[in-house]
Amino acid sequence: MGEAQGTAIATVQVDSDVVRVTRWDFPVKGANTGWHRHAYDYVVVPMMDGTLAIKGADGTVTQAPLKAGVSYARPAGVEHDVINDTDGPMAFVEIEVLRGG
């Protein structure tokens, strides 16, 4: 899978030698990031409660219920499309670790 343009809105807030912080806004149910592979380890911080559908490269779809402020981390190499499965807007902040401190 290659990178594909999605309908979610990515706003880079910080882009340094150490981290990249991006806010992802999904304005409606079904908005998505598009297919992508993470080149770096990353942390996701949900901005609100909601559910995302995570479509993996193998075609499986996993429901991911999120709670505002409850973070999770994933390693580099993850390939997926992230889809808003909430009946309304959804948003999270993604923090990519570009190099060790």
Side-chain angles (χ1 to χ4, degrees):
M1 299 272 142
E3 300 269 333
Q5 183 66 37
T7 56
I9 301 161
T11 305
V12 176
Q13 298 178 333
V14 175
D15 196 0
S16 74
D17 292 342
V18 179
V19 297
R20 181 179 305 121
V21 178
T22 305
R23 179 180 169 125
W24 284 93
D25 284 288
F26 301 77
V28 296
K29 185 172 185 169
N32 70 313
T33 59
W35 284 101
H36 61 282
R37 181 186 306 268
H38 287 268
Y40 305 99
D41 293 349
Y42 65 100
V43 175
V44 169
V45 183
M47 302 302 292
M48 56 190 69
D49 294 353
T51 301
L52 298 175
I54 313 298
K55 189 169 187 179
D58 62 359
T60 60
V61 177
T62 304
Q63 295 295 312
L66 303 179
K67 296 295 261 176
V70 179
S71 305
Y72 66 89
R74 295 286 184 266
V78 172
E79 184 175 17
H80 57 203
D81 186 12
V82 179
I83 305 151
N84 180 13
D85 200 26
T86 303
D87 290 328
M90 183 61 190
F92 62 80
V93 172
E94 175 184 88
I95 304 161
E96 295 173 278
V97 182
L98 306 181
R99 67 179 169 99

